[in-house]
């Protein structure tokens, strides 16, 4: 398996533009997590899905952020409109069960820069 | 409010010596602890974990120690190798689930030849 695949690797956009980050989890993994990494706050959980259903989005910072998982092999994280403070590395991760008896696999991340 | 704290942003060690990375936590409900390793331009990868019912777990050159009374854990790497140079994240969960996983900010380890 190729692991968790994220695209794009880098995204540079201007303030006010819409940004869409994409993630393909490992096949057979029922749980998908979106994280954001910043210098100030470290790695934070934004939202997670179980069997394509959003379970907890309490980490989503504002209504400008939304996430979807239309099927088991694809998820998106959208920011509209984007702001400079959204600049961060966004990671997608997947796990078979959501429990720590199984490993959590991260993608390589999307480096987002909002100018 | 940082519930998992890694107070050393960076650590430099010579090859062959021991690396000790520290982590403190404040939530007494945490019952499972993990260490992740992250190379530049890659995502974090699982390294080693420990349950709160244990005080030590070893995997090859990596050993994690847990001191529940002090709410402190540490990762020992012996002997350190240049390939160990990476950012190390401490993480904790209070229901053994990833939905409650809380990460520290990381410690950058540099192992010099």
């Amino acid at each position: 398996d190729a692991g968790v695949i994220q695209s794009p690797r880098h995204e540079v956009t201007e303030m006010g533009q819409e940004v869409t980050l994409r993630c393909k989890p490992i096949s057979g993994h029922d749980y998908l997590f979106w994280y954001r990494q910043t210098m100030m706050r470290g790695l934070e959980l934004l939202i997670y899905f179980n069997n394509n259903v959003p379970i907890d989005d309490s980490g989503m910072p504002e209504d400008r952020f939304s996430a979807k998982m239309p099927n088991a092999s694809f998820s998106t994280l959208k920011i509209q409109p984007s702001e400079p403070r959204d600049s961060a590395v966004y990671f997608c991760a997947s796990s078979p069960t959501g429990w720590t008896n199984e490993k959590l696999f991260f993608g390589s991340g999307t480096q987002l820069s909002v100018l | 409010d940082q519930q998992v704290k890694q107070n050393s942003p960076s650590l430099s060690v010579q090859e062959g010596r021991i690396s000790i990375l520290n982590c403190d936590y404040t939530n007494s409900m945490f019952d499972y602890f993990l260490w992740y390793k992250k190379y530049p331009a890659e995502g974090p990868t699982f390294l080693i974990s420990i349950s709160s019912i244990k005080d030590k777990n070893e995997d090859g050159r990596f050993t994690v120690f847990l001191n529940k009374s002090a709410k402190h854990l540490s990762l020992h790497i012996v002997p350190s190798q240049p390939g160990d140079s990476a950012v190390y994240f401490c993480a904790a969960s209070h229901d053994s689930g990833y939905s409650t996983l809380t990460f520290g900010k990381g410690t950058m380890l540099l192992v010099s030849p």
Side-chain angles (χ1 to χ4, degrees):
Chain A
D1 200 313
V4 177
I5 299 173
Q6 290 187 246
S7 64
R9 291 298 304 272
H10 302 275
E11 177 78 41
V12 181
T13 190
E14 291 189 345
M15 182 174 64
Q17 297 297 306
E18 176 180 297
V19 175
T20 300
L21 312 181
R22 296 173 175 78
C23 175
K24 176 179 167 54
I26 294 173
S27 176
H29 284 194
D30 290 339
Y31 283 77
L32 183 140
F33 302 82
W34 281 101
Y35 288 89
R36 179 173 68 174
Q37 183 188 12
T38 60
M39 292 292 290
M40 287 294 293
R41 302 176 68 87
L43 265 167
E44 302 174 278
L45 177 64
L46 300 177
I47 184 172
Y48 77 95
F49 295 82
N50 178 21
N51 290 323
N52 315 336
V53 176
I55 303 301
D56 185 356
D57 65 354
S58 60
M60 298 284 259
E62 299 173 32
D63 291 345
R64 299 184 295 107
F65 286 69
S66 62
K68 294 182 180 179
M69 192 165 186
N71 56 63
S73 60
F74 183 65
S75 177
T76 59
L77 178 68
K78 186 177 292 186
I79 309 172
Q80 165 65 14
S82 58
E83 296 182 4
R85 60 188 166 134
D86 301 331
S87 298
V89 182
Y90 292 81
F91 289 101
C92 174
S94 72
S95 174
T97 65
W99 302 104
T100 52
N101 62 316
E102 297 278 359
K103 290 183 182 178
L104 181 65
F105 295 87
F106 285 82
S108 297
T110 295
Q111 174 78 60
L112 174 65
S113 297
V114 183
L115 306 177
Chain B
D1 179 28
Q2 279 266 303
Q3 296 187 61
V4 177
K5 300 178 183 179
Q6 295 178 256
N7 292 320
S8 298
S10 62
L11 175 68
S12 292
V13 172
Q14 280 195 318
E15 181 178 7
R17 307 295 288 266
I18 184 172
S19 294
I20 300 176
L21 294 92
N22 293 304
C23 178
D24 297 296
Y25 62 94
T26 58
N27 189 341
S28 58
M29 299 295 291
F30 286 144
D31 60 3
Y32 202 82
F33 305 87
L34 306 92
W35 285 93
Y36 287 84
K37 178 179 179 179
K38 183 186 178 304
Y39 292 117
E42 295 184 10
T45 56
F46 171 78
L47 185 59
I48 193 169
S49 62
I50 188 167
S51 165
S52 61
I53 63 174
K54 295 185 175 182
D55 54 18
K56 177 182 174 181
N57 188 27
E58 191 172 351
D59 183 2
R61 296 185 297 113
F62 302 91
T63 303
V64 56
F65 295 92
L66 175 62
N67 182 333
K68 289 186 289 295
S69 60
K71 294 190 177 67
H72 176 83
L73 64 157
S74 60
L75 174 68
H76 292 211
I77 307 173
V78 183
S80 301
Q81 300 173 354
D84 296 329
S85 297
V87 176
Y88 290 79
F89 291 97
C90 172
S93 168
H94 64 70
D95 62 356
S96 297
Y98 290 119
S99 62
T100 64
L101 197 62
T102 302
F103 285 85
K105 292 185 178 180
T107 296
M108 180 178 293
L109 173 66
L110 177 63
V111 181
S112 54

